[in-house]
Amino acid sequence: MDSFAESHKSLDNNISLADVRAQVRKLESDLQEKNVPLSGRIIHVCHYLPVTCAFARRPRPSDIPSPPATPPAKASDIPPSPVEATHNDSALPAPRGTAPEQPTSQWNVNVRYGHSAMVSGIDSLAGTHEQIFVGWTGDIESSSATPPPLAAPATSGPSDPPTSKVSASSLGEEDKKELETLLQDYKSRDELKDGKKIHYVPVWLDDKDAHGHYDGYCKQTLWPLFHYLLWQDVATEYASADAHWAPYEAVNAAFARRVAEVYRPGDLIWIHDYHLLLVPALLRQTLPDAAVGLFVHTPFPSSEVFRCLPRRKEILDGMLGANLICFQTYSYSRHFTSSCIRVCGYEVTARGGIDVQGHVSAIGYCPVGVDADRVAKDTLRPGIQPKLDALRALYEGKKIIVGRDKLDVVKGVVQKLRAFEKLLQDYPQWIGNVVLIQVTSPALTDSPKLERQVSELVAHINGEYGSLDFIPVHHYHQTIKKDEFYALLSVADLGVITPLRDGMNTTSMEFVIAQERSKKSPLILSEFMGISSNMADALQINPWNLSEVAAAMHRGLTMPDDEKLRRHQQLYKTVTTHTSHTWAAILAKKLLQRLGSQNMARQTPFIPKGDLERHYLKAKKRLFLFDYDGTLAPIVKVPSAAIPSPDTLEALEALTADPKNVVYIISGRDQEFLEQHLGHIKGLGMSAEHGGFIREPGAATWSNFTKSLDMSWMGEVLEIFKYYTERTTGSHIEVKKSSITWHYRSADPEWGLFQCHQCQDLLENNLARKRPIEVLVGKKNLEVRPLAVNKGEIVKRILYFNPDAEFVFCAGDDKTDEDMFRALLLFPQGATSARLDPPLSVTLLAGSKDEADQLPPVDLAIEREAVFTTAVGHSSKRTLAVWHVTVPEEVVEHMLHLVRAADEDGTTAGSSSNL
């Protein structure tokens, strides 16, 4: 997939929740048949728990003053009771019908408001899955000691105002355990009555870290950046993007530890939003086999904005620990992919995933909706109609435009007010006939400058266009009650939502549902909202273009009823089809699909150092076969800079010094490079140009496998590569004796990848059909080589001439190395011994055809367990290798370990000569 070719797919409005759930059940059934473990549980990791917690410490005995002493009673004053007479027990019995008094709970738990779409989606999954909700408790309030409700109250509204906050560090382990026990019985009012259990698991955070994380890095750095603002644009004083990085790391680590504690094999893990972007990679380290999804609820900016972030690579690498990363819209997913390519240099797979050392993160998008059924029921609340009638009476004879936003710099309130002023300027017939009711709720971070700007603009419009009996703008800066909110949405003749950048905006969807029972009024949406691409029947505008917005307002106010109805019906279908319930079910479906993909079907285990050492020490002859780039040396932007490290040279010299070892470097590099950097190591065999040439250990000359092959195709390939080099700035051609390679590492990454795909298609569908060549896509390069020459043929040659080898260690990192791993699949199903026919790499160098025909097959001494094929990269990398290591340094470390083990065991050349 590339930016230049893939088109955006529109949402399917015919999908149903029942269909998605049926698909989920089918996927689970198929996975279970394949013996993929599934627990039936989904872990949701969110910044907050959907509850607020208040704490009142239970008085301790030492805190209660002692009452005065009671005078002793005479024995004759108290008649003996039958119980005392029978059991000789001095304790008085408890009254009948009473239970032993339980201590009053120190905790009070109530529903937390906000993020209603996400929470309702998670609640809906209880119909099919058991769930664990992991989140921070939030600030713990101090309150009077009252018994906590085990279910959320039936009526909405804030609880009694707290007197102060309780520091998490002041709580003991018993206090924390008490809340965790209480949450085991908690059931919110929105949970399905017959649904499966939702467990609420608190994450305990240090107060300083918690606020440095949320109020610091999240709100001062990430949130502005994701909405196309830099931190200094929203800060009131000098701001550093790194000032709160440490608490952001600490909190993400605390969440990852908590998830690991509750995880069971087969759980699905969904991590939500930008507060926890490092958690996926942290979980990948501790739970390498877990199925992890990340959903980003905010917008994701273009790579040109994102690359301004100092910690850009850490954030991207943290996100790429997930198996699946989902965004609200296709464009956000493209921005993320572009950032991974441009900032980190990672490659995109054919299906659009991001490849990080073999671990592939799939990228997708799935917009969040609202709980349409719940909103529809809320619009029927008995308190709405009286307020609706009052609004109609108050503004009788006038058109009503409604806006409701947070007073935030990205919500476009200022632009909306200016566009309304432009409406009154350009269409003066509306003066006295239209009012704008704008409600602004307080934002998470106060902005006195923005409040003042809005107030001054409202006063200016009212002063310029108002009169004693007409006020054009009514601005209410307050949090309004639900009845007032739905009455306002229902009475509107036009809804106007103009954020400068936004992810999902629930007000737009609630407006559509509220209008179903009233006027079917049109809706104006900013094109910079994530949801705008799914609501094509709204009037979409650029909020910066005041004339366009004013014209859209006029059009909406004068729209014919039949057009209103048509647009409303389409919007209503979208909103009631793509609900929060459908969104949550689709997330479960997508992660299950990812779990069943080939990339996750087989996790390659890390190479066992103990087994490796045991087979190495007991073998009388050993083969070591190494790729170079990405295996013994890390991949670098400038190929000539990939020189072997001192540790690599030490390990190779030590291995080749042991006469029991046969060591080869099998690389795509040319002869000159290998001789320059490794030629001084005595006893080291080398193969250059992916098997085109070989220099045996101790030899001074190279053997050419291609001298008897038809190489005339190289001229045709060179002409094609020249054409693409001219079109791709920064690319270059490398001509070797047996192959030819086009490199685009220094080109624009997305354009280079696109051109690579185009060139590959041309070569495979034209030249490769007529010539004995194969086309290989490497890391930032495209290589063409003869069919008869590859690394696998070299491995077979080495095995053929060393049939007595009892140990093989073969390591590589890319597609060309898979030929080596394939050549080492020596044992058919159930076979215990292996035989090798003369390979092409042996017969090509035979003196004549008769000599080649007389070469016999050989029986190999190797055992299946003594072949250690090792891929360098992530455990989920698709490979024929049996084992894996993560980075080239671990290959070198294992080599040095074997050398030291042999020294200690006394099996090196020096030790054996003394026997």
Side-chain angles (χ1 to χ4, degrees):
M1 182 180 80
D2 53 69
S3 304
F4 302 96
E6 178 153 328
S7 59
H8 166 63
K9 299 174 184 176
S10 59
L11 290 176
D12 180 8
N13 274 347
N14 296 317
I15 195 170
S16 72
L17 180 60
D19 291 340
V20 178
R21 287 181 172 172
Q23 292 165 7
V24 168
R25 288 192 295 271
K26 177 71 166 57
L27 283 167
E28 289 178 328
S29 175
D30 292 345
L31 289 171
Q32 286 168 347
E33 288 180 5
K34 297 176 183 177
N35 296 319
V36 176
L38 288 177
S39 65
R41 306 195 320 167
I42 301 178
I43 300 176
H44 292 277
V45 191
C46 307
H47 179 227
Y48 282 117
L49 285 175
V51 297
T52 59
C53 302
F55 180 78
R57 186 173 297 282
R58 187 186 303 115
R60 291 166 292 193
S62 59
D63 298 333
I64 303 173
S66 301
T70 303
K74 295 179 182 178
S76 60
D77 294 341
I78 304 175
S81 70
V83 175
E84 285 178 342
T86 308
H87 300 289
N88 194 26
D89 191 346
S90 60
L92 292 175
R96 289 186 66 187
T98 64
E101 185 178 349
Q102 296 294 327
T104 304
S105 174
Q106 303 179 104
W107 292 96
N108 192 356
V109 178
N110 279 299
V111 66
R112 182 188 300 275
Y113 296 97
H115 303 289
S116 58
M118 180 187 73
V119 174
S120 71
I122 292 173
D123 287 345
S124 72
L125 282 174
T128 55
H129 293 80
E130 182 183 351
Q131 294 183 96
I132 295 90
F133 201 123
V134 178
W136 179 40
T137 58
D139 286 323
I140 299 168
E141 312 291 359
S142 176
S143 68
S144 57
T146 55
L150 294 184
T155 58
S156 62
S159 56
D160 294 335
T163 55
S164 62
K165 292 184 175 64
V166 177
S167 170
S169 59
S170 69
L171 299 173
E173 289 302 317
E174 290 186 3
D175 299 328
K176 295 177 181 178
K177 190 68 177 175
E178 185 177 331
L179 175 63
E180 292 173 10
T181 303
L182 178 66
L183 289 174
Q184 289 177 4
D185 297 322
Y186 177 82
K187 191 176 179 70
S188 79
R189 68 181 183 197
D190 295 325
E191 286 185 38
L192 301 177
K193 292 181 180 179
D194 55 350
K196 297 188 179 182
K197 178 70 176 170
I198 301 179
H199 306 271
Y200 298 93
V201 178
V203 178
W204 300 100
L205 299 176
D206 174 79
D207 290 346
K208 186 176 180 181
D209 282 345
H211 288 281
H213 164 263
Y214 183 65
D215 300 324
Y217 202 76
C218 288
K219 286 300 169 191
Q220 294 179 25
T221 301
L222 288 182
W223 188 90
L225 183 80
F226 284 8
H227 290 81
Y228 286 76
L229 298 169
L230 297 184
W231 35 96
Q232 67 265 25
D233 296 333
V234 295
T236 54
E237 55 187 26
Y238 172 76
S240 167
D242 262 0
H244 300 285
W245 174 251
Y248 187 81
E249 278 189 306
V251 167
N252 274 255
F255 270 84
R257 288 193 297 270
R258 193 64 164 134
V259 173
E261 289 172 8
V262 300
Y263 175 79
R264 295 180 193 165
D267 286 351
L268 303 180
I269 302 173
W270 268 107
I271 299 161
H272 293 270
D273 224 1
Y274 66 101
H275 315 89
L276 304 172
L277 298 180
L278 304 182
V279 173
L282 295 171
L283 287 178
R284 184 62 51 213
Q285 295 171 11
T286 55
L287 305 170
D289 297 338
V292 179
L294 170 66
F295 190 89
V296 182
H297 292 256
T298 61
F300 197 90
S302 73
S303 60
E304 291 304 305
V305 173
F306 184 80
R307 70 191 311 157
C308 297
L309 183 67
R311 299 286 181 173
R312 58 195 187 177
K313 190 172 189 305
E314 290 92 330
I315 292 291
L316 290 177
D317 284 340
M319 298 172 72
L320 289 168
N323 302 105
L324 173 62
I325 305 170
C326 260
F327 297 88
Q328 293 270 11
T329 70
Y330 171 78
S331 62
Y332 299 161
S333 70
R334 291 307 309 152
H335 292 163
F336 174 76
T337 300
S338 180
S339 295
C340 293
I341 294 170
R342 293 180 177 279
V343 173
C344 300
Y346 296 142
E347 297 205 354
V348 181
T349 65
R351 294 189 176 184
I354 305 297
D355 188 337
V356 184
Q357 294 182 343
H359 168 69
V360 177
S361 296
I363 312 299
Y365 65 98
C366 178
V368 183
V370 294
D371 186 346
D373 292 338
R374 169 79 181 275
V375 173
K377 288 177 184 175
D378 284 343
T379 61
L380 301 175
R381 291 161 64 101
I384 293 176
Q385 192 61 41
K387 293 179 173 58
L388 186 61
D389 295 337
L391 286 169
R392 284 172 176 161
L394 184 62
Y395 300 108
E396 186 177 2
K398 295 180 175 64
K399 294 284 189 178
I400 301 172
I401 300 176
V402 167
R404 187 255 197 172
D405 310 272
K406 283 184 180 177
L407 192 57
D408 205 313
V409 65
V410 300
K411 297 300 181 181
V413 176
V414 170
Q415 284 74 14
K416 185 190 302 183
L417 291 171
R418 287 177 176 162
F420 182 70
E421 181 184 13
K422 185 70 171 170
L423 171 73
L424 300 180
Q425 282 179 1
D426 294 353
Y427 305 92
Q429 66 267 32
W430 287 115
I431 298 175
N433 294 313
V434 66
V435 295
L436 169 62
I437 303 176
Q438 176 63 51
V439 178
T440 54
S441 55
L444 293 171
T445 54
D446 293 331
S447 177
K449 180 181 177 182
L450 182 61
E451 287 183 34
R452 185 171 62 253
Q453 187 180 8
V454 169
S455 297
E456 290 173 354
L457 193 51
V458 169
H460 164 72
I461 297 171
N462 288 338
E464 187 73 21
Y465 298 97
S467 61
L468 290 175
D469 60 347
F470 172 62
I471 301 174
V473 180
H474 297 258
H475 176 223
Y476 304 96
H477 184 53
Q478 62 190 60
T479 302
I480 61 174
K481 294 179 180 178
K482 190 173 286 189
D483 290 350
E484 295 172 333
F485 173 61
Y486 284 117
L488 200 59
L489 295 186
S490 300
V491 79
D493 294 287
L494 180 65
V496 181
I497 303 173
T498 57
L500 309 181
R501 190 68 59 174
D502 207 354
M504 186 204 72
N505 185 291
T506 58
T507 303
S508 59
M509 291 179 271
E510 290 164 331
F511 176 87
V512 172
I513 295 173
Q515 285 291 322
E516 174 68 10
R517 298 178 57 83
S518 57
K519 302 178 180 179
K520 313 290 192 295
S521 297
L523 177 65
I524 293 177
L525 287 185
S526 164
E527 65 187 49
F528 299 117
M529 295 169 57
I531 197 169
S532 63
S533 59
N534 307 324
M535 301 181 74
D537 287 279
L539 299 173
Q540 300 201 8
I541 48 87
N542 174 1
W544 297 100
N545 188 339
L546 301 184
S547 297
E548 181 187 1
V549 181
M553 288 180 176
H554 176 71
R555 182 184 174 190
L557 293 171
T558 58
M559 186 177 290
D561 289 343
D562 59 340
E563 185 180 354
K564 283 184 186 179
L565 179 62
R566 178 182 59 79
R567 288 176 176 271
H568 172 79
Q569 286 174 340
Q570 287 299 319
L571 290 173
Y572 186 77
K573 185 175 183 181
T574 298
V575 170
T576 54
T577 301
H578 298 278
T579 66
S580 58
H581 295 188
T582 312
W583 164 77
I586 289 174
L587 288 191
K589 169 189 163 185
K590 283 179 175 287
L591 196 50
L592 286 167
Q593 287 174 329
R594 187 73 189 132
L595 191 61
S597 70
Q598 287 184 324
N599 192 261
M600 287 189 65
R602 175 180 178 268
Q603 301 281 333
T604 309
F606 193 83
I607 188 166
K609 195 173 280 188
D611 289 351
L612 184 71
E613 178 185 330
R614 179 167 54 84
H615 284 284
Y616 176 80
L617 293 178
K618 77 175 187 178
K620 296 175 183 176
K621 189 172 188 178
R622 312 146 180 153
L623 299 182
F624 286 89
L625 312 170
F626 300 109
D627 172 44
Y628 182 74
D629 289 289
T631 302
L632 295 181
I635 299 290
V636 292
K637 193 162 187 175
V638 181
S640 59
I643 60 175
S645 67
D647 284 345
T648 301
L649 293 174
E650 178 191 348
L652 289 174
E653 288 169 353
L655 285 176
T656 54
D658 189 338
K660 292 184 178 181
N661 297 337
V662 177
V663 185
Y664 274 87
I665 304 296
I666 306 175
S667 173
R669 296 281 190 161
D670 58 24
Q671 299 142 273
E672 183 181 354
F673 180 91
L674 294 179
E675 286 184 338
Q676 178 186 351
H677 295 291
L678 302 171
H680 64 282
I681 301 176
K682 295 180 180 178
L684 179 65
M686 292 184 285
S687 173
E689 300 189 22
H690 297 299
F693 298 85
I694 190 168
R695 195 185 82 171
E696 306 290 351
T701 59
W702 292 80
S703 301
N704 183 359
F705 291 106
T706 64
K707 63 183 180 182
S708 60
L709 299 177
D710 176 13
M711 304 296 289
S712 61
W713 53 264
M714 291 188 74
E716 297 174 67
V717 173
L718 182 61
E719 288 303 314
I720 293 173
F721 280 172
K722 281 181 179 179
Y723 171 76
Y724 281 94
T725 303
E726 290 171 2
R727 298 184 62 188
T728 313
T729 304
S731 64
H732 69 277
I733 303 168
E734 180 186 10
V735 180
K736 304 175 187 176
K737 294 177 182 176
S738 66
S739 64
I740 183 168
T741 307
W742 182 70
H743 296 272
Y744 62 93
R745 186 171 295 279
S746 299
D748 178 274
E750 291 185 273
W751 177 244
L753 181 62
F754 174 71
Q755 291 292 79
C756 176
H757 289 167
Q758 295 289 309
C759 185
Q760 178 189 4
D761 182 64
L762 176 63
L763 290 168
E764 289 180 341
N765 292 317
N766 292 278
L767 198 59
R769 293 174 180 239
K770 299 179 289 185
R771 297 287 200 158
I773 60 172
E774 62 179 332
V775 182
L776 299 173
V777 180
K779 294 180 179 177
K780 304 286 186 182
N781 65 63
L782 190 64
E783 181 171 11
V784 181
R785 69 183 186 190
L787 270 173
V789 173
N790 60 62
K791 291 183 177 183
E793 286 298 320
I794 295 297
V795 168
K796 290 177 184 177
R797 176 186 174 87
I798 296 168
L799 275 174
Y800 185 81
F801 288 119
N802 296 277
D804 53 338
E806 297 175 344
F807 171 91
V808 175
F809 180 85
C810 178
D813 73 304
D814 66 12
K815 295 176 184 176
T816 62
D817 301 315
E818 294 299 312
D819 291 329
M820 295 198 294
F821 303 147
R822 188 176 292 105
L824 288 170
L825 297 174
L826 302 167
F827 297 88
Q829 188 75 26
T832 56
S833 61
R835 168 172 278 212
L836 185 64
D837 292 323
L840 187 62
S841 51
V842 172
T843 58
L844 279 176
L845 296 184
S848 65
K849 187 177 184 305
D850 290 339
E851 290 181 21
D853 291 341
Q854 292 174 7
L855 292 171
V858 295
D859 293 316
L860 304 180
I862 192 80
E863 296 177 355
R864 186 194 297 266
E865 293 76 17
V867 179
F868 291 87
T869 49
T870 307
V872 180
H874 196 269
S875 62
S876 63
K877 184 176 188 175
R878 290 182 64 182
T879 179
L880 294 172
V882 177
W883 309 104
H884 95 279
V885 294
T886 308
V887 291
E889 289 78 9
E890 290 173 345
V891 177
V892 177
E893 178 192 331
H894 279 75
M895 292 160 58
L896 291 171
H897 172 76
L898 292 179
V899 170
R900 287 191 291 268
D903 286 342
E904 293 169 5
D905 190 64
T907 61
T908 60
S911 301
S912 61
S913 64
N914 294 328
L915 293 176

